[in-house]
């Protein structure tokens, strides 16, 4: 079967790939390339990042240390012009990555996934799959538009108090059970903005300072917005609602993680 070897990499299977020029007599006849790649993730990324594709470089995300197996389908429409411009090229790729492992340096941990699906073109990129990090399974959705630089990431997970502790987060009010949490992250020039919601029906909660207790099985929900910037972390709005407690307000932390402000706009108990 046919193979291709990226510079500094190992051979990749490309059996079934095609390179077609429909009209050899026409000087501007385009080439239609259908590339099927099977092999290691690291070497396949070198192929889909090669000009004119450049899918990986456009993301601006370090992918060093990522390992796994991949099947890639890539289509390229390539006009055979002497002065070829990037906008003249049409390209898209679909990939299924299995047995993925990826280092997450800020957390000094490795994320793993049985399968991740990726799609990319000269205009954008998308990813979806379930990854496990420090024992927490997270459903990930990532969409990016290259022209505008817009990047949106969605995360969904069921979180327990023990799992929060694994990430260095203390939660004295979260005693037992689990919370179904979702976060939508919008990356802006000023920093990430995170809209979050949490279904707390299966969580056991306790706030001793006000004598409030919510048993697992009772409805409750938390939602809010978090903004991360150079000056610290702010939650300009949050809202906790339950059968007998409603809390609304805002929170601000310094860049060192110290509490700067904690305000209530509404406290009904």
């Amino acid at each position: 079967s046919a193979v291709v070897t990226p510079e500094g990499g190992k051979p990749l299977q490309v059996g079934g790939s095609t390179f077609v020029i429909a009209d050899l007599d026409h000087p501007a006849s385009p080439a239609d390339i259908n590339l099927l790649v099977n092999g290691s993730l690291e070497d396949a990324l070198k192929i889909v990042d090669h000009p004119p594709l450049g899918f990986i470089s456009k993301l601006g995300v370090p992918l060093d240390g990522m390992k796994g197996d991949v099947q890639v389908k890539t289509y390229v429409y390539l006009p055979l012009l002497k002065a070829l411009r990037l906008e003249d090229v049409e390209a898209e790729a679909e990939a299924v990555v299995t047995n993925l492992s990826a280092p997450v340096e800020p957390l000094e941990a490795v994320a793993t996934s049985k399968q991740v699906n990726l799609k990319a073109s000269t205009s954008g990129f998308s990813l979806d799959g379930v990854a496990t990090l420090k024992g927490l399974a997270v459903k990930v959705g990532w969409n990016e538009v290259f022209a505008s630089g817009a990047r949106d990431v969605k995360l969904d997970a069921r979180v327990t108090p023990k799992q929060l502790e694994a990430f260095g987060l203390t939660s004295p009010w979260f005693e037992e059970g689990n919370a179904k949490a979702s976060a939508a992250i919008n990356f802006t020039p000023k920093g990430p903005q995170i809209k979050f919601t949490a279904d707390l029906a299966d969580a056991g909660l306790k706030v001793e300072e006000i004598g409030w207790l919510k048993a697992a099985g009772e409805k409750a929900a938390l939602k809010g917005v978090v903004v991360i910037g150079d000056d610290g972390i702010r939650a300009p709005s949050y809202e906790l609602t339950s059968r007998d407690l409603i809390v609304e307000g805002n929170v601000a932390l310094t860049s060192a993680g110290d509490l700067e402000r904690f305000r209530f706009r509404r406290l009904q108990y």
Side-chain angles (χ1 to χ4, degrees), residues 27 43 47 63 72 82 115 138 151 154 170 239 251 259 263-264 267:
D43 293 322
I47 296 295
L63 300 177
V72 183
K82 290 183 178 179
Q115 179 173 317
V138 183
R151 176 181 296 173
K154 294 183 179 180
T170 57
E239 180 181 349
V251 181
L259 181 63
R263 292 178 179 173
F264 293 112
L267 177 57

Side-chain angles (χ1 to χ4, degrees), residues 63-75:
L63 300 177
D64 296 339
M66 292 184 65
K67 297 180 181 179
D69 303 309
V70 68
Q71 293 180 325
V72 183
K73 295 180 181 179
T74 302
Y75 169 74

